[in-house]
Amino acid sequence: MLKLLNLLKDGRFHSGEALGAALGVSRSAVWKQLQHLESELNLTIHKVRGRGYQLAAPLVLLDEQAIAGFAEGECWPVFIHETIDSTNAEGLRLAAVGQSAPFVVLAERQSAGRGRRGRHWVSPFAENLYYSLVLRIDGGMRQLEGLSLVVGLAVMRTLQAFGLEKVGLKWPNDVLVDGKKITGILLELVGDPADVCHVVLGIGINVNMQVNDLVDQQWTSMRRELGQLVDRNRLVAVLGEQLQREMARHRRYGFAAFQEEWEASHLWQGRKVSLIAGTTTIDGIALGVDGQGAIRLDVDGVEKSFSGGELSLRLRDDS
């Protein structure tokens, strides 16, 4: 199926006879594969008598050599999958069998993509970026303090490098454009949190997606904002460079070096918010974050800090 897709990805018409000859199969077998592409990957293929078959839009697939060509420095090793359950899950599996970190897992599509708090991450084929960076951490979890917020900053800088405006951050792990979600970040840990462990930095970016009824919140994409297709291979390269730069600074100085910078990009700074933890809701005013990345709230005139993977921040209706 991927061989057929590679023949069609230029967005031009190809006859069934030519496709069959290239694949070494009959025209009827080509027809069956085309139907499979449409139903399985939700791709639109135009069929015109006398001209053949054409993808509704050209398709640029993820490619390790293309990523390296866009990179200005050394790239991390990359594992690219056509379809996988979750790039984070695959990253954890590879770490468990001894794959040397750091490395990156990418996929054209996820069948069970995960967001924070157990949410499903919508993952259409070859439209967005599903990216997991696996790191080995020696010496305990203190080195991870504020890391997800640093990743958010790196993603924000990446989007700005592509020309996106009105990009900002929402504590703890979202990147928004004009109030609409464009990126989610999910960190997962395996190993001994007091000694040697691996952390997976999962990053999902809406890139070329224009329509999707499965997303249950306000969202946007790079293509929606820029009005043009974005090469995801270049995006991977630029994101990798930003992550390498910011994580090196984080290793050396800790999150305290990013605190002021992060607060300047926090879209809900000074706004009335609700912090949700399970069935508990805490109302307050967002003051910023502390040196470890915890959210600081003014709760009835008292400053309090909160952190934890299951917390969620929402704007109050009266904000």
Side-chain angles (χ1 to χ4, degrees):
M1 187 172 68
L2 196 55
K3 289 182 178 178
L4 175 59
L5 192 58
N6 272 303
L7 294 172
L8 293 170
K9 68 182 182 181
D10 59 8
R12 299 174 181 173
F13 276 104
H14 298 266
S15 69
E17 184 177 359
L19 292 172
L23 296 172
V25 299
S26 66
R27 291 179 65 179
S28 62
V30 169
W31 175 254
K32 289 180 181 178
Q33 287 193 38
L34 288 167
Q35 289 181 308
H36 187 61
L37 282 178
E38 287 188 300
S39 62
E40 185 71 16
L41 303 183
N42 198 31
L43 295 173
T44 300
I45 300 174
H46 298 314
K47 309 170 186 69
V48 178
R49 186 180 296 275
R51 300 191 68 186
Y53 308 100
Q54 176 195 47
L55 280 178
L59 201 61
V60 177
L61 299 176
L62 294 168
D63 179 84
E64 186 173 1
Q65 288 187 336
I67 293 168
F70 283 117
E72 295 183 359
E74 185 177 351
C75 293
W76 289 305
V78 176
F79 299 88
I80 300 174
H81 298 267
E82 176 189 349
T83 299
I84 201 167
D85 54 350
S86 157
T87 57
N88 265 29
E90 177 64 8
L92 291 170
R93 287 191 291 263
L94 288 172
V97 298
Q99 173 61 43
S100 179
F103 62 88
V104 173
V105 179
L106 303 172
E108 296 289 3
R109 179 179 65 160
Q110 296 180 119
S111 60
R114 304 197 297 268
R116 291 185 66 244
R117 304 170 70 200
R119 290 181 172 177
H120 175 64
W121 188 266
V122 176
S123 307
F125 181 83
E127 291 190 352
N128 299 328
L129 186 62
Y130 319 118
Y131 179 110
S132 293
L133 169 62
V134 182
L135 304 172
R136 175 187 166 111
I137 304 297
D138 296 296
M141 284 186 63
R142 284 193 60 85
Q143 297 177 67
L144 301 180
E145 287 180 348
L147 182 58
S148 66
L149 278 67
V150 172
V151 172
L153 272 171
V155 172
M156 186 184 74
R157 302 290 183 231
T158 299
L159 297 179
Q160 290 172 332
F162 275 79
L164 270 75
E165 300 176 350
K166 299 181 181 178
V167 188
L169 305 171
K170 179 179 85 70
W171 189 90
N173 292 346
D174 289 343
V175 182
L176 310 180
V177 176
D178 200 19
K180 299 173 184 176
K181 187 167 180 175
I182 194 169
T183 298
I185 298 164
L186 176 66
L187 269 64
E188 296 186 275
L189 186 73
V190 64
D192 184 350
D195 189 13
V196 178
C197 59
H198 285 85
V199 62
V200 184
L201 311 178
I203 302 170
I205 302 177
N206 296 332
V207 184
N208 291 318
M209 185 168 68
Q210 289 188 290
V211 178
N212 200 305
D213 296 332
L214 299 177
V215 183
D216 61 356
Q217 59 186 298
Q218 281 197 320
W219 64 275
T220 190
S221 68
M222 297 178 72
R223 184 177 180 183
R224 275 188 170 186
E225 298 300 320
L226 297 172
Q228 62 186 23
L229 284 167
V230 174
D231 189 324
R232 292 174 302 138
N233 290 304
R234 179 177 169 232
L235 179 60
V236 171
V238 175
L239 176 60
E241 291 163 7
Q242 290 286 347
L243 286 169
Q244 288 189 43
R245 183 181 304 115
E246 301 297 6
M247 290 195 307
R249 188 154 65 107
H250 180 263
R251 283 194 299 272
R252 185 171 183 180
Y253 300 110
F255 179 72
F258 296 85
Q259 182 178 353
E260 183 176 342
E261 181 181 353
W262 193 93
E263 289 180 341
S265 300
H266 190 211
L267 295 169
W268 293 358
Q269 200 80 351
R271 305 283 296 275
K272 295 178 180 178
V273 296
S274 295
L275 186 70
I276 302 168
T279 59
T280 302
T281 299
I282 301 167
D283 292 333
I285 297 173
L287 300 176
V289 291
D290 65 16
Q292 289 74 48
I295 188 72
R296 297 185 297 116
L297 299 183
D298 179 332
V299 181
D300 296 327
V302 178
E303 180 177 322
K304 297 183 178 181
S305 295
F306 304 89
S307 63
E310 298 305 313
L311 299 179
S312 179
L313 200 65
R314 297 285 183 269
L315 276 180
R316 294 235 304 268
D317 293 339
D318 59 344
S319 178

